[in-house]
Amino acid sequence: YGLLHRAERNYNEAIKAYKQALRIDADNLQILRDLSLLQVQMRDLPGFEVTRQNILNLKSNQKINWLAFAVSKHLNGDREGAIKVIKVYLESLHPESSEKRKKCFETSELLMYLNSVMSEIPDNDENVLEHLEEIKDLIVDKMSWSYEKGVALLRIGDYESSRNVFETLLKNGDSENYRTHSGYMCAILKVDRVTIEESLKLKGTDTIATMFVLTPSQIETLTQNYCGALSEYLPKSYAVRRIPLTFLEGEALKGALDKYCRRDIRKGTPFLGQDIATLFFKEEEFAPDSPPRKIIARDPVDVQENKTYQIVFGLVNEFVTSLSASNPHFPNSDEEESTSSLLWCLYLKAQLLEFSGDLTNAKNMIEKCIEHTPTCIDILEKKAHLLQMSG
């Protein structure tokens, strides 16, 4: 009956049937395994822990059973219990076993998982750092190990050491990882613990510079690092070129946007508009005792009033004028550009008009793109999208 109910996706009834079967054969491993999968599927975490413990008692010589039991403890919020289970398993290994003597990817990931569970325990940062040093020689993924070390140093307030760790990571090939950039920015700005924890949870291309409205001194510090040493050492890094756009202001922002847009227009990047749109920030007050937050402007009225939008739109108009000449070139440049540069510049202008709610002029701009290159699929897709939005 349990199999039939599971096939029908009636998981609650399947669990009841499996529990009834265990009354007849309590040591049946197959039934226990199936039951544990159904319990975690239905988020019956206490039951999942009990089932995994029963499996471990019956088959304690299998590594997977120890790890599954540790995960069940972790899911139930028993971090100390999860740590104890993993340590007992590691102590049960023979001193001469390959898992203890050699670098093994499975053991490496297990140790890093153990360290991550330890980091979730409040006021345990010193122990986390000590554990990282103990397991250093057994870790295969050195970048993940270095990142966790940088985070641990941040949490104990050793900003200088943390900065060195994150800077080494960026220079050793992790320059496109925005999590690393967030850690680096927290270290050089010396932010408080609450801000550190919040920045570590950011996803995508978000950093601390997209969270809050920064003070002039913080902007100056970030400018010195990102527009100075890092940009010289990592001139090809996309993240190092893009992150300053989130905190620069005035003429500095205009100059950075100019270089950024020219590069992608030359390469014919269709999603440049969507990328630029994530820089249209507006400020909102969430709490009286905290700095204003940045959120992305979505409303056409907010977009039109946004300073970054106005700068980009002005630059694009200058680009279109210069590239439409008999000798196509960008402003303040004698280098002749290909005809495709004008196409992608017009396409970018159409996207900006769309963001500002001016669909009529956006469609007119797309028609100019089609006149320029009738066979470009991206242009035709954009036209269809604008027609759909226009009703």
Side-chain angles (χ1 to χ4, degrees):
Y1 285 111
L3 293 172
L4 291 173
H5 284 304
R6 190 176 68 171
E8 294 293 328
R9 297 185 180 179
N10 191 356
Y11 299 129
N12 286 322
E13 291 300 321
I15 289 173
K16 291 179 184 178
Y18 278 119
K19 287 181 177 179
Q20 195 67 26
L22 286 173
R23 291 184 180 181
I24 302 169
D25 187 2
D27 295 340
N28 191 307
L29 280 172
Q30 187 59 52
I31 296 176
L32 287 167
R33 288 194 194 99
D34 288 352
L35 175 60
S36 70
L37 291 174
L38 289 172
Q39 286 171 325
V40 77
Q41 172 78 14
M42 300 306 295
R43 302 300 186 269
D44 177 16
L45 300 180
F48 175 62
E49 181 180 342
V50 171
T51 305
R52 291 314 312 189
Q53 185 172 11
N54 291 336
I55 294 174
L56 179 61
N57 291 335
L58 292 170
K59 209 75 174 175
S60 60
N61 61 339
Q62 291 186 356
K63 179 179 181 179
I64 185 63
N65 293 336
W66 286 92
L67 302 189
F69 183 47
V71 170
S72 71
K73 288 275 190 183
H74 189 197
L75 289 174
N76 278 285
D78 185 4
R79 299 180 182 88
E80 289 84 358
I83 292 170
K84 185 176 179 180
V85 170
I86 295 173
K87 287 185 175 180
V88 169
Y89 166 72
L90 293 172
E91 289 170 1
S92 68
L93 297 176
H94 193 277
E96 297 300 317
S97 66
S98 59
E99 291 189 58
K100 282 196 169 183
R101 289 189 296 105
K102 298 179 181 178
K103 282 186 178 180
C104 169
F105 189 78
E106 288 187 6
T107 303
S108 170
E109 291 300 295
L110 175 59
L111 292 171
M112 289 302 295
Y113 171 66
L114 172 60
N115 188 264
S116 72
V117 177
M118 291 175 65
S119 68
E120 294 177 13
I121 300 174
D123 302 321
N124 197 39
D125 302 322
E126 293 285 354
N127 292 332
V128 170
L129 196 56
E130 290 176 10
H131 181 255
L132 282 170
E133 294 298 336
E134 290 173 5
I135 65 176
K136 181 178 181 179
D137 295 335
L138 295 173
I139 300 301
V140 176
D141 188 356
K142 291 297 184 183
M143 281 194 172
S144 293
W145 181 88
S146 297
Y147 174 81
E148 294 299 334
K149 181 180 179 181
V151 170
L153 288 168
L154 263 183
R155 285 172 170 156
I156 65 173
D158 190 350
Y159 295 110
E160 193 60 35
S161 299
S162 178
R163 172 182 178 168
N164 293 335
V165 171
F166 284 121
E167 191 169 339
T168 302
L169 267 175
L170 292 173
K171 293 180 178 179
N172 287 348
D174 205 29
S175 61
E176 303 307 319
N177 188 340
Y178 282 81
R179 290 198 316 152
T180 304
H181 282 284
S182 289
Y184 178 71
M185 293 166 80
C186 287
I188 62 178
L189 295 179
K190 299 180 180 180
V191 297
D192 57 75
R193 177 64 181 263
V194 175
T195 306
I196 290 171
E197 295 300 330
E198 193 171 351
S199 67
L200 294 175
K201 297 176 183 177
L202 296 174
K203 297 180 180 179
T205 57
D206 287 334
T207 64
I208 190 174
T210 64
M211 287 170 53
F212 303 105
V213 177
L214 302 177
T215 64
S217 61
Q218 289 176 324
I219 292 174
E220 183 181 356
T221 302
L222 290 176
T223 302
Q224 290 174 354
N225 285 274
Y226 275 91
C227 299
L230 280 182
S231 62
E232 292 174 5
Y233 195 89
L234 301 166
K236 295 183 178 181
S237 171
Y238 176 80
V240 171
R241 285 187 290 110
R242 188 184 185 282
I243 287 174
L245 304 180
T246 61
F247 60 78
L248 290 175
E249 297 175 336
E251 289 300 317
L253 176 59
K254 183 177 180 179
L257 282 168
D258 191 336
K259 293 179 182 178
Y260 190 81
C261 291
R262 288 189 192 201
R263 183 185 180 104
D264 279 3
I265 288 172
R266 286 191 179 110
K267 295 169 79 173
T269 307
F271 56 82
L272 176 59
Q274 283 87 349
D275 184 21
I276 295 295
T278 60
L279 303 173
F280 301 157
F281 298 111
K282 67 175 184 177
E283 301 177 12
E284 280 202 3
E285 295 281 352
F286 283 85
D289 56 343
S290 64
R293 294 268 182 162
K294 286 183 177 180
I295 62 172
I296 297 176
R298 303 290 186 187
D299 187 90
V301 176
D302 293 332
V303 170
Q304 291 175 21
E305 296 174 352
N306 185 268
K307 293 181 180 179
T308 303
Y309 171 82
Q310 294 169 0
I311 292 173
V312 174
F313 196 75
L315 286 171
V316 171
N317 283 330
E318 293 176 10
F319 293 166
V320 171
T321 302
S322 298
L323 292 170
S324 299
S326 56
N327 179 27
H329 62 279
F330 281 109
N332 302 320
S333 173
D334 297 328
E335 182 182 352
E336 186 172 349
E337 302 293 333
S338 66
T339 55
S340 65
S341 293
L342 176 60
L343 169 68
W344 295 112
C345 201
L346 292 170
Y347 183 73
L348 176 58
K349 186 174 181 179
Q351 289 178 304
L352 294 173
L353 289 167
E354 176 193 348
F355 299 145
S356 67
D358 191 353
L359 298 181
T360 302
N361 284 326
K363 287 187 287 186
N364 293 337
M365 201 57 55
I366 284 296
E367 291 298 338
K368 290 184 180 180
C369 293
I370 293 174
E371 289 177 13
H372 187 284
T373 308
T375 57
C376 182
I377 299 298
D378 293 293
I379 306 298
L380 298 175
E381 287 181 345
K382 176 57 69 175
K383 180 180 179 180
H385 176 65
L386 291 173
L387 289 171
Q388 183 185 32
M389 290 183 66
S390 301

PDB file of all heavy atoms in Angstrom, residues 339-363:
ATOM      1  N   THR A 339      29.847  49.406 -38.143  1.00  0.00           N
ATOM      2  CA  THR A 339      28.453  49.831 -38.284  1.00  0.00           C
ATOM      3  C   THR A 339      27.551  49.186 -37.228  1.00  0.00           C
ATOM      4  O   THR A 339      26.493  49.722 -36.900  1.00  0.00           O
ATOM      5  CB  THR A 339      27.934  49.464 -39.675  1.00  0.00           C
ATOM      6  OG1 THR A 339      28.130  48.056 -39.892  1.00  0.00           O
ATOM      7  CG2 THR A 339      28.674  50.242 -40.764  1.00  0.00           C
ATOM      8  N   SER A 340      27.965  48.045 -36.685  1.00  0.00           N
ATOM      9  CA  SER A 340      27.135  47.375 -35.679  1.00  0.00           C
ATOM     10  C   SER A 340      27.067  48.166 -34.376  1.00  0.00           C
ATOM     11  O   SER A 340      26.125  48.015 -33.602  1.00  0.00           O
ATOM     12  CB  SER A 340      27.677  45.966 -35.400  1.00  0.00           C
ATOM     13  OG  SER A 340      28.959  46.033 -34.814  1.00  0.00           O
ATOM     14  N   SER A 341      28.037  49.031 -34.135  1.00  0.00           N
ATOM     15  CA  SER A 341      28.027  49.832 -32.906  1.00  0.00           C
ATOM     16  C   SER A 341      26.806  50.745 -32.873  1.00  0.00           C
ATOM     17  O   SER A 341      26.172  50.921 -31.827  1.00  0.00           O
ATOM     18  CB  SER A 341      29.305  50.665 -32.801  1.00  0.00           C
ATOM     19  OG  SER A 341      30.434  49.844 -32.620  1.00  0.00           O
ATOM     20  N   LEU A 342      26.451  51.324 -34.033  1.00  0.00           N
ATOM     21  CA  LEU A 342      25.263  52.177 -34.097  1.00  0.00           C
ATOM     22  C   LEU A 342      24.002  51.360 -33.819  1.00  0.00           C
ATOM     23  O   LEU A 342      23.095  51.825 -33.117  1.00  0.00           O
ATOM     24  CB  LEU A 342      25.165  52.846 -35.466  1.00  0.00           C
ATOM     25  CG  LEU A 342      23.907  53.694 -35.701  1.00  0.00           C
ATOM     26  CD1 LEU A 342      23.817  54.826 -34.680  1.00  0.00           C
ATOM     27  CD2 LEU A 342      23.896  54.257 -37.134  1.00  0.00           C
ATOM     28  N   LEU A 343      23.944  50.138 -34.360  1.00  0.00           N
ATOM     29  CA  LEU A 343      22.786  49.271 -34.138  1.00  0.00           C
ATOM     30  C   LEU A 343      22.548  49.041 -32.645  1.00  0.00           C
ATOM     31  O   LEU A 343      21.429  49.232 -32.144  1.00  0.00           O
ATOM     32  CB  LEU A 343      22.994  47.936 -34.855  1.00  0.00           C
ATOM     33  CG  LEU A 343      21.996  46.830 -34.512  1.00  0.00           C
ATOM     34  CD1 LEU A 343      20.616  47.191 -35.041  1.00  0.00           C
ATOM     35  CD2 LEU A 343      22.465  45.487 -35.069  1.00  0.00           C
ATOM     36  N   TRP A 344      23.597  48.643 -31.922  1.00  0.00           N
ATOM     37  CA  TRP A 344      23.434  48.313 -30.505  1.00  0.00           C
ATOM     38  C   TRP A 344      23.252  49.558 -29.651  1.00  0.00           C
ATOM     39  O   TRP A 344      22.669  49.493 -28.566  1.00  0.00           O
ATOM     40  CB  TRP A 344      24.605  47.464 -30.024  1.00  0.00           C
ATOM     41  CG  TRP A 344      24.635  46.142 -30.716  1.00  0.00           C
ATOM     42  CD1 TRP A 344      25.552  45.686 -31.601  1.00  0.00           C
ATOM     43  CD2 TRP A 344      23.635  45.115 -30.599  1.00  0.00           C
ATOM     44  NE1 TRP A 344      25.199  44.435 -32.055  1.00  0.00           N
ATOM     45  CE2 TRP A 344      24.028  44.061 -31.456  1.00  0.00           C
ATOM     46  CE3 TRP A 344      22.454  44.993 -29.881  1.00  0.00           C
ATOM     47  CZ2 TRP A 344      23.288  42.902 -31.588  1.00  0.00           C
ATOM     48  CZ3 TRP A 344      21.697  43.839 -30.007  1.00  0.00           C
ATOM     49  CH2 TRP A 344      22.111  42.803 -30.855  1.00  0.00           C
ATOM     50  N   CYS A 345      23.706  50.685 -30.154  1.00  0.00           N
ATOM     51  CA  CYS A 345      23.472  51.941 -29.446  1.00  0.00           C
ATOM     52  C   CYS A 345      21.992  52.335 -29.572  1.00  0.00           C
ATOM     53  O   CYS A 345      21.372  52.763 -28.591  1.00  0.00           O
ATOM     54  CB  CYS A 345      24.362  53.020 -30.046  1.00  0.00           C
ATOM     55  SG  CYS A 345      24.635  54.403 -28.948  1.00  0.00           S
ATOM     56  N   LEU A 346      21.421  52.168 -30.756  1.00  0.00           N
ATOM     57  CA  LEU A 346      19.996  52.429 -30.947  1.00  0.00           C
ATOM     58  C   LEU A 346      19.149  51.456 -30.123  1.00  0.00           C
ATOM     59  O   LEU A 346      18.122  51.828 -29.555  1.00  0.00           O
ATOM     60  CB  LEU A 346      19.640  52.309 -32.430  1.00  0.00           C
ATOM     61  CG  LEU A 346      20.220  53.382 -33.361  1.00  0.00           C
ATOM     62  CD1 LEU A 346      19.980  53.000 -34.825  1.00  0.00           C
ATOM     63  CD2 LEU A 346      19.618  54.746 -33.064  1.00  0.00           C
ATOM     64  N   TYR A 347      19.611  50.218 -30.059  1.00  0.00           N
ATOM     65  CA  TYR A 347      18.892  49.193 -29.284  1.00  0.00           C
ATOM     66  C   TYR A 347      18.902  49.549 -27.798  1.00  0.00           C
ATOM     67  O   TYR A 347      17.883  49.427 -27.108  1.00  0.00           O
ATOM     68  CB  TYR A 347      19.553  47.837 -29.521  1.00  0.00           C
ATOM     69  CG  TYR A 347      18.859  46.679 -28.843  1.00  0.00           C
ATOM     70  CD1 TYR A 347      17.647  46.188 -29.320  1.00  0.00           C
ATOM     71  CD2 TYR A 347      19.415  46.067 -27.725  1.00  0.00           C
ATOM     72  CE1 TYR A 347      17.009  45.125 -28.713  1.00  0.00           C
ATOM     73  CE2 TYR A 347      18.786  44.999 -27.102  1.00  0.00           C
ATOM     74  CZ  TYR A 347      17.585  44.528 -27.602  1.00  0.00           C
ATOM     75  OH  TYR A 347      16.946  43.478 -26.984  1.00  0.00           O
ATOM     76  N   LEU A 348      20.049  50.026 -27.311  1.00  0.00           N
ATOM     77  CA  LEU A 348      20.152  50.435 -25.915  1.00  0.00           C
ATOM     78  C   LEU A 348      19.235  51.619 -25.637  1.00  0.00           C
ATOM     79  O   LEU A 348      18.562  51.680 -24.594  1.00  0.00           O
ATOM     80  CB  LEU A 348      21.605  50.796 -25.584  1.00  0.00           C
ATOM     81  CG  LEU A 348      21.867  51.349 -24.184  1.00  0.00           C
ATOM     82  CD1 LEU A 348      21.405  50.371 -23.101  1.00  0.00           C
ATOM     83  CD2 LEU A 348      23.350  51.678 -23.989  1.00  0.00           C
ATOM     84  N   LYS A 349      19.153  52.552 -26.582  1.00  0.00           N
ATOM     85  CA  LYS A 349      18.271  53.709 -26.403  1.00  0.00           C
ATOM     86  C   LYS A 349      16.813  53.266 -26.348  1.00  0.00           C
ATOM     87  O   LYS A 349      16.015  53.786 -25.546  1.00  0.00           O
ATOM     88  CB  LYS A 349      18.485  54.711 -27.536  1.00  0.00           C
ATOM     89  CG  LYS A 349      17.711  56.003 -27.337  1.00  0.00           C
ATOM     90  CD  LYS A 349      18.043  57.038 -28.398  1.00  0.00           C
ATOM     91  CE  LYS A 349      17.260  58.333 -28.151  1.00  0.00           C
ATOM     92  NZ  LYS A 349      17.577  59.374 -29.164  1.00  0.00           N
ATOM     93  N   ALA A 350      16.446  52.280 -27.182  1.00  0.00           N
ATOM     94  CA  ALA A 350      15.082  51.755 -27.164  1.00  0.00           C
ATOM     95  C   ALA A 350      14.764  51.126 -25.811  1.00  0.00           C
ATOM     96  O   ALA A 350      13.662  51.294 -25.273  1.00  0.00           O
ATOM     97  CB  ALA A 350      14.901  50.735 -28.288  1.00  0.00           C
ATOM     98  N   GLN A 351      15.726  50.417 -25.251  1.00  0.00           N
ATOM     99  CA  GLN A 351      15.525  49.813 -23.933  1.00  0.00           C
ATOM    100  C   GLN A 351      15.330  50.875 -22.856  1.00  0.00           C
ATOM    101  O   GLN A 351      14.466  50.743 -21.986  1.00  0.00           O
ATOM    102  CB  GLN A 351      16.717  48.917 -23.582  1.00  0.00           C
ATOM    103  CG  GLN A 351      16.791  47.634 -24.401  1.00  0.00           C
ATOM    104  CD  GLN A 351      18.026  46.825 -24.045  1.00  0.00           C
ATOM    105  OE1 GLN A 351      19.155  47.308 -24.116  1.00  0.00           O
ATOM    106  NE2 GLN A 351      17.820  45.572 -23.658  1.00  0.00           N
ATOM    107  N   LEU A 352      16.132  51.938 -22.916  1.00  0.00           N
ATOM    108  CA  LEU A 352      16.015  53.012 -21.929  1.00  0.00           C
ATOM    109  C   LEU A 352      14.659  53.712 -22.033  1.00  0.00           C
ATOM    110  O   LEU A 352      14.046  54.053 -21.020  1.00  0.00           O
ATOM    111  CB  LEU A 352      17.156  54.019 -22.111  1.00  0.00           C
ATOM    112  CG  LEU A 352      18.577  53.492 -21.810  1.00  0.00           C
ATOM    113  CD1 LEU A 352      19.613  54.535 -22.200  1.00  0.00           C
ATOM    114  CD2 LEU A 352      18.719  53.126 -20.342  1.00  0.00           C
ATOM    115  N   LEU A 353      14.198  53.915 -23.261  1.00  0.00           N
ATOM    116  CA  LEU A 353      12.884  54.519 -23.450  1.00  0.00           C
ATOM    117  C   LEU A 353      11.780  53.613 -22.909  1.00  0.00           C
ATOM    118  O   LEU A 353      10.790  54.089 -22.339  1.00  0.00           O
ATOM    119  CB  LEU A 353      12.655  54.803 -24.940  1.00  0.00           C
ATOM    120  CG  LEU A 353      13.492  55.946 -25.533  1.00  0.00           C
ATOM    121  CD1 LEU A 353      13.420  55.932 -27.053  1.00  0.00           C
ATOM    122  CD2 LEU A 353      13.021  57.298 -24.990  1.00  0.00           C
ATOM    123  N   GLU A 354      11.972  52.310 -23.067  1.00  0.00           N
ATOM    124  CA  GLU A 354      11.004  51.354 -22.530  1.00  0.00           C
ATOM    125  C   GLU A 354      10.955  51.443 -21.009  1.00  0.00           C
ATOM    126  O   GLU A 354       9.865  51.449 -20.405  1.00  0.00           O
ATOM    127  CB  GLU A 354      11.383  49.938 -22.963  1.00  0.00           C
ATOM    128  CG  GLU A 354      10.492  48.857 -22.388  1.00  0.00           C
ATOM    129  CD  GLU A 354      11.061  47.463 -22.568  1.00  0.00           C
ATOM    130  OE1 GLU A 354      12.029  47.300 -23.334  1.00  0.00           O
ATOM    131  OE2 GLU A 354      10.543  46.526 -21.909  1.00  0.00           O
ATOM    132  N   PHE A 355      12.118  51.512 -20.360  1.00  0.00           N
ATOM    133  CA  PHE A 355      12.163  51.595 -18.895  1.00  0.00           C
ATOM    134  C   PHE A 355      11.479  52.861 -18.385  1.00  0.00           C
ATOM    135  O   PHE A 355      10.888  52.852 -17.298  1.00  0.00           O
ATOM    136  CB  PHE A 355      13.606  51.557 -18.397  1.00  0.00           C
ATOM    137  CG  PHE A 355      14.346  50.301 -18.756  1.00  0.00           C
ATOM    138  CD1 PHE A 355      15.707  50.337 -19.057  1.00  0.00           C
ATOM    139  CD2 PHE A 355      13.692  49.082 -18.814  1.00  0.00           C
ATOM    140  CE1 PHE A 355      16.394  49.182 -19.388  1.00  0.00           C
ATOM    141  CE2 PHE A 355      14.372  47.918 -19.151  1.00  0.00           C
ATOM    142  CZ  PHE A 355      15.724  47.969 -19.440  1.00  0.00           C
ATOM    143  N   SER A 356      11.553  53.950 -19.174  1.00  0.00           N
ATOM    144  CA  SER A 356      10.948  55.212 -18.751  1.00  0.00           C
ATOM    145  C   SER A 356       9.468  55.296 -19.100  1.00  0.00           C
ATOM    146  O   SER A 356       8.822  56.317 -18.827  1.00  0.00           O
ATOM    147  CB  SER A 356      11.692  56.385 -19.392  1.00  0.00           C
ATOM    148  OG  SER A 356      11.499  56.383 -20.801  1.00  0.00           O
ATOM    149  N   GLY A 357       8.936  54.267 -19.736  1.00  0.00           N
ATOM    150  CA  GLY A 357       7.513  54.223 -20.066  1.00  0.00           C
ATOM    151  C   GLY A 357       7.151  54.852 -21.382  1.00  0.00           C
ATOM    152  O   GLY A 357       5.960  54.907 -21.739  1.00  0.00           O
ATOM    153  N   ASP A 358       8.142  55.318 -22.144  1.00  0.00           N
ATOM    154  CA  ASP A 358       7.878  55.960 -23.444  1.00  0.00           C
ATOM    155  C   ASP A 358       7.883  54.887 -24.535  1.00  0.00           C
ATOM    156  O   ASP A 358       8.839  54.758 -25.312  1.00  0.00           O
ATOM    157  CB  ASP A 358       8.934  57.025 -23.715  1.00  0.00           C
ATOM    158  CG  ASP A 358       8.580  57.911 -24.909  1.00  0.00           C
ATOM    159  OD1 ASP A 358       7.572  57.604 -25.589  1.00  0.00           O
ATOM    160  OD2 ASP A 358       9.319  58.881 -25.156  1.00  0.00           O
ATOM    161  N   LEU A 359       6.804  54.115 -24.604  1.00  0.00           N
ATOM    162  CA  LEU A 359       6.762  52.970 -25.519  1.00  0.00           C
ATOM    163  C   LEU A 359       6.681  53.406 -26.979  1.00  0.00           C
ATOM    164  O   LEU A 359       7.185  52.710 -27.877  1.00  0.00           O
ATOM    165  CB  LEU A 359       5.572  52.072 -25.172  1.00  0.00           C
ATOM    166  CG  LEU A 359       5.588  51.443 -23.768  1.00  0.00           C
ATOM    167  CD1 LEU A 359       4.366  50.557 -23.568  1.00  0.00           C
ATOM    168  CD2 LEU A 359       6.857  50.638 -23.542  1.00  0.00           C
ATOM    169  N   THR A 360       6.061  54.540 -27.243  1.00  0.00           N
ATOM    170  CA  THR A 360       5.930  55.009 -28.633  1.00  0.00           C
ATOM    171  C   THR A 360       7.296  55.283 -29.242  1.00  0.00           C
ATOM    172  O   THR A 360       7.626  54.808 -30.340  1.00  0.00           O
ATOM    173  CB  THR A 360       5.053  56.281 -28.688  1.00  0.00           C
ATOM    174  OG1 THR A 360       3.771  55.993 -28.138  1.00  0.00           O
ATOM    175  CG2 THR A 360       4.896  56.762 -30.125  1.00  0.00           C
ATOM    176  N   ASN A 361       8.111  56.073 -28.530  1.00  0.00           N
ATOM    177  CA  ASN A 361       9.451  56.363 -29.037  1.00  0.00           C
ATOM    178  C   ASN A 361      10.342  55.133 -29.004  1.00  0.00           C
ATOM    179  O   ASN A 361      11.257  54.995 -29.835  1.00  0.00           O
ATOM    180  CB  ASN A 361      10.089  57.489 -28.223  1.00  0.00           C
ATOM    181  CG  ASN A 361       9.519  58.848 -28.577  1.00  0.00           C
ATOM    182  OD1 ASN A 361       9.174  59.095 -29.731  1.00  0.00           O
ATOM    183  ND2 ASN A 361       9.399  59.723 -27.583  1.00  0.00           N
ATOM    184  N   ALA A 362      10.105  54.215 -28.060  1.00  0.00           N
ATOM    185  CA  ALA A 362      10.879  52.966 -28.013  1.00  0.00           C
ATOM    186  C   ALA A 362      10.619  52.141 -29.270  1.00  0.00           C
ATOM    187  O   ALA A 362      11.543  51.586 -29.870  1.00  0.00           O
ATOM    188  CB  ALA A 362      10.517  52.171 -26.761  1.00  0.00           C
ATOM    189  N   LYS A 363       9.344  52.075 -29.703  1.00  0.00           N
ATOM    190  CA  LYS A 363       9.006  51.337 -30.931  1.00  0.00           C
ATOM    191  C   LYS A 363       9.611  52.017 -32.162  1.00  0.00           C
ATOM    192  O   LYS A 363      10.079  51.333 -33.081  1.00  0.00           O
ATOM    193  CB  LYS A 363       7.484  51.228 -31.066  1.00  0.00           C
ATOM    194  CG  LYS A 363       6.857  50.238 -30.082  1.00  0.00           C
ATOM    195  CD  LYS A 363       5.386  50.020 -30.344  1.00  0.00           C
ATOM    196  CE  LYS A 363       4.577  51.226 -29.911  1.00  0.00           C
ATOM    197  NZ  LYS A 363       3.126  50.993 -30.027  1.00  0.00           N
TER     198      LYS A 363
END
